[in-house]
Amino acid sequence: MSKVIVITGGSAGIGAASGALLASQGHQVVLVARRQAALEDVASRSGRHAAIQVADVTNRAQVRRVVDDTVARFHRIDVWINNAGLGISRNPTELTDADIDAIMRANVHSALYGMQEVLPHFKQRGEGHIINISSLLGRIPYVVIRSAYVGAKHFLNALTAMMRAEVQATHPGIQISLVSPGVVRTDFGLNAVHGGPDSRAFPETQSAEEVAAVIAKVIDTRQPDVYTRPAQQMIANYYATVGVDPQ
């Protein structure tokens, strides 16, 4: 069945790849980002099932406008994907207030606004699906220069779990899923605050299209917590190395 799917951060990377894949499957996709020209380019390559909304999702009022405009145009939203995010390259001893504020706005506030603003629509319908795109770094804090980003994704993971618990206590038809990629071959590293290494230069990376395929599967299965590649052993190995006692 065709769904109406909103994707933030839809102008590039995982968001653009997800939009193209989901539109090709017949879903109506609404791509959201600040850059109109980039959005139009992605939409033109994604076919007739792709629409755009220009908005800054770190601004709550603009997120609310995306919800209202999408419902007015397509009469409903079935899936909301909080994909917008931003990296940073700075050691924890060097972090400034501005660094923390920027990374929290981009990675946590944007997702919080998306969840809170679409939930009234989902509650009214009694169903809906929110997907928050996190990171493997939200489980294991092992890249020092990504310190603030790691903290933001840990926050997002906890917020997702707590929001799911609260919402499903009264509205079990609403699912809130977490998807955690590893390193993805996008411009994420190059676009990080203070610059940074190109994500494409690392070993064992995934393409944005591979991650998009996992997101599409999560829409079908409504699984609550998914890694885009096997990661459980890596997480166990990390905590064993740092000496965490599971008891």
Side-chain angles (χ1 to χ4, degrees):
M1 179 179 174
S2 176
K3 299 180 184 294
V4 178
I5 303 172
V6 177
I7 306 173
T8 73
S11 60
I14 293 171
S18 298
L21 175 60
L22 293 166
S24 75
Q25 295 175 343
H27 299 294
Q28 176 59 59
V29 172
V30 179
L31 302 165
V32 183
R34 293 173 297 178
R35 300 179 297 157
Q36 181 169 346
L39 282 174
E40 290 174 346
D41 179 60
V42 174
S44 69
R45 291 184 280 108
S46 300
R48 63 187 179 89
H49 292 298
I52 68 169
Q53 281 273 351
V54 178
D56 178 355
V57 294
T58 67
N59 181 301
R60 182 186 288 276
Q62 293 190 37
V63 175
R64 185 179 303 123
R65 172 174 56 79
V66 171
V67 173
D68 292 342
D69 289 355
T70 303
V71 173
R73 181 174 178 182
F74 299 109
H75 310 297
R76 71 182 196 277
I77 298 171
D78 298 298
V79 182
W80 181 284
I81 302 176
N82 284 310
N83 168 71
L86 180 67
I88 183 171
S89 302
R90 179 158 275 184
N91 290 328
T93 56
E94 302 168 328
L95 288 170
T96 66
D97 290 351
D99 290 332
I100 297 295
D101 290 346
I103 296 307
M104 290 297 288
R105 279 196 305 272
N107 296 285
V108 177
H109 290 208
S110 64
L112 178 64
Y113 298 159
M115 288 189 283
Q116 290 181 336
E117 295 303 325
V118 80
L119 271 170
H121 173 67
F122 286 171
K123 287 179 177 180
Q124 183 180 44
R125 297 182 63 207
E127 61 182 4
H129 192 181
I130 295 168
I131 300 175
N132 291 334
I133 308 303
S134 184
S135 169
L136 184 58
L137 293 180
R139 301 292 190 200
I140 46 179
Y142 72 99
V143 180
V144 174
I145 64 167
R146 294 279 183 251
S147 54
Y149 178 79
V150 168
K153 290 302 188 182
H154 272 72
F155 193 129
L156 178 61
N157 289 4
L159 185 63
T160 301
M162 297 297 95
M163 190 74 79
R164 184 192 304 127
E166 177 191 351
V167 170
Q168 290 192 341
T170 55
H171 294 78
I174 300 173
Q175 177 62 295
I176 304 177
S177 298
L178 190 75
V179 174
S180 300
V183 181
V184 185
R185 295 190 295 274
T186 67
D187 289 333
F188 173 84
L190 299 177
N191 291 337
V193 177
H194 308 305
D198 189 340
S199 301
R200 300 171 184 86
F202 293 97
E204 299 183 3
T205 60
Q206 286 183 290
S207 68
E209 290 72 21
E210 289 174 302
V211 176
V214 175
I215 293 170
K217 184 177 179 181
V218 170
I219 291 173
D220 289 337
T221 63
R222 293 170 63 89
Q223 291 173 272
D225 201 329
V226 176
Y227 298 105
T228 63
R229 63 190 310 164
Q232 288 86 346
Q233 191 57 52
M234 183 186 299
I235 294 168
N237 290 345
Y238 170 82
Y239 284 106
T241 301
V242 298
V244 171
D245 184 351
Q247 302 301 317

